[in-house]
Amino acid sequence: MPEEPDIELSFRGGRLVSALPIALFIAWAIFQSGILGIGDTTGLVAGMLTGLIVGLLFVRGDWKDYADVIFAGMTRRVAATAVVAWLWAGMFAETIQVGGFVDGLVWAATVLNVGPGLFPAVTFLLAALLATGIGTGYGTAIAFTSLVFPAGLLLGANPVLLFGAILSGAVFGDNLAPVSDTTIVSAVTQDADIGGVVASRVKYAVVAAALAIAAYLVAGFGIPGVWGGMPHVDVAGEVSASVSPWGLVHLLDIAVVIVLAVRGRHIIEAVSWGLLLAAAFNVALGAANLVDVSAGSMLLFSAPQNGLTQAVEALPLLGAVVETVPAGQVGVGGSVYSGAAGFFPLIVLTLLLVAGAEIMRAGGGFDAIQELVIDRVATTVRRAETTMVVGTALVNATVTINTAAEIAIAPYIATLGKRFNINGYRRANILDANTSALGYIFPWGGGLLAGYGAMQGLVGGEATPWFTAEMLVNPASVFPYVFHGWFLVAVFLFAAWTGYGREYVSDRTSEEVSRV
């Protein structure tokens, strides 16, 4: 069946008006997240819907064409690919966490008796390892703020520096993990395979990480520790007693995913193998009572009480838990369920953003911006790449959900990069660097707010009765200490200006989305 021809739209006010849906979304995101401090992805969905409706009012001609363009955008392969990859990545990330991987990392740090000066640097490394394995910087920020942050304070580490180290680790994983949402989007929007993108990205991430480690070591031993009056307690024994090393076995399934992805296997295949291995480890560790998998099962069926439910409840189900609950509390849960469901709002937002970008393309908005930028600014490949870095930085500094910002700017990066024959791997890396970094740096960033929300949950908590509201880190004070984020942006500015790592289309051929 032949493909339908692309529809062209005409807008009152000219080609740039086709950017109105995306522009209104960005304004909504700034108001919601930046001014009001509400990091709600579903709220951003409402903002994008509003932008699409307002854009309809400026269309010349038949509104049906505008509606058809929305459907055409939402059914593009780039959107479908990201959606499918997110679902698999979400299940994998949650299954690892159920298996006690975070506990294993905390256990390793406490057993090694890491002191307050070294603790921020070690925290950065461990957070980077977790984020690279599970592919979610937000989840890493929440998990480490809940588990590692209070232990670091009791050891005497500087709280602002420690929080910055956690956010830096989240940046590292978001940027490098094959199963990260930003990695997936940056690859598929630039017609590059995920494995190739990850392999080509290592040289930038490692340089920034090495600089960040050095900075945390210098700052850790040079900046005073906790507030006066807070107890400096050696909690190594207490924490080691409450966590288990067995979760470190998931380093194996993380390695499987990374190796398979980098070697070019389909991302769903790579994650599926990791997921199966993680599930097998969880079942084995739970059966041996080494990990309390029942506290966060892979599958949880909450069913109404009846004879059949009680019979099933007594059966030994591998990796699954069946429980009887009152009729109003029935449902399905567990890591497989919640890992996929956690991406549902982002999936809807992604589809709508791709539709908005398609409207901008059909209305000539991208062509107008491209002509303006190329004629006046990006007149050489060096200036073009610098413009790409600065442009992604500006968008990501305002749109606080990093993946949403990445999707909004991705068509511009693709168009400008192709104009100068820049390879898809290089374009994907420029696109992802600022997306991964700036969402964890500024006080209104989604990643920072996720970690701060977890920190607020520590106040008066059962496990942290000593933690008071006065001990909360002001989100506005942490941005200078997200060292890896700043160094990652700096590395790409340096790379754009000097040509470090630059690749052209003729240098290497991407297999595009066939291996995604």
Side-chain angles (χ1 to χ4, degrees), residues 142-153:
I142 293 170
F144 264 66
T145 303
S146 301
L147 291 170
V148 179
F149 185 77
L153 293 190

Side-chain angles (χ1 to χ4, degrees), residues 445-462:
L448 191 151
L449 291 176
Y452 183 69
M455 190 184 302
Q456 290 177 309
L458 296 174
V459 177
E462 182 178 348

